[in-house]
Amino acid sequence: MPRRPTAVPPPLREIPMLRSLVLATLATAAAGAAGLGPLPSPPLLSSPGTLTVTVAESGRPDADGTFELTCDGRAGGNHPDRESACERLDRLAEAGGNPFLPVPEDRFCTQVYGGPAVAHITGTWQGREVDARFSRADGCEIDRWENLEPVLPLLGG
């Protein structure tokens, strides 16, 4: 008779995440059963707010400066490409990530220099405070910059 494989327990680091998922599921079920209806959506699913985008040393005089970008139902502010920038932020929100997080310190990045351009974005997005700095110092930072185009200006080839 062939031997059946035994189940392998999840790595220890996954247990707290599974516990959180189970607790969140139980809380949602309890709220529905109590007649409270669905729980409110987390901030990640709300509309983008207002951002201040400052760009310097881009090599493009029209791209350098400080711009306001408001994406609450209608694109506003003085950002040079506000419609496309708000559309990009909407797509990023739907994907569920946070494009304003820094590159993790343990990530390996190609040592490719993308130029001296730097940017600083502050404000609110998806109900979160934003205070993020961008550069083109290596491959990871270039990818991070390009992920936010056209919120940040198109500089690559």
Side-chain angles (χ1 to χ4, degrees), residues 61-127:
D62 63 321
D64 287 352
T66 299
F67 309 99
E68 297 295 322
L69 178 63
T70 304
C71 300
D72 286 330
R74 195 174 117 218
N78 65 346
H79 188 281
D81 197 3
R82 61 186 166 269
E83 295 287 333
S84 296
C86 288
E87 287 173 11
R88 178 65 183 143
L89 289 171
D90 286 344
R91 284 193 308 276
L92 289 167
E94 289 171 7
N98 184 348
F100 301 105
L101 292 176
V103 174
E105 289 185 24
D106 62 346
R107 180 166 294 163
F108 289 103
C109 302
T110 59
Q111 296 304 300
V112 177
Y113 181 66
V118 292
H120 186 204
I121 300 177
T122 58
T124 57
W125 182 73
Q126 298 297 295

Side-chain angles (χ1 to χ4, degrees), residues 8-23:
V8 178
L12 290 177
R13 70 179 183 278
E14 292 180 12
I15 291 173
M17 183 171 41
L18 291 172
R19 186 178 312 144
S20 297
L21 178 62
V22 168
L23 290 175

Side-chain angles (χ1 to χ4, degrees), residues 7-60:
V8 178
L12 290 177
R13 70 179 183 278
E14 292 180 12
I15 291 173
M17 183 171 41
L18 291 172
R19 186 178 312 144
S20 297
L21 178 62
V22 168
L23 290 175
T25 303
L26 290 173
T28 302
L36 299 176
L39 295 175
S41 296
L44 183 61
L45 301 177
S46 63
S47 298
T50 300
L51 298 173
T52 301
V53 180
T54 302
V55 179
E57 301 181 47
S58 70
R60 289 185 38 206

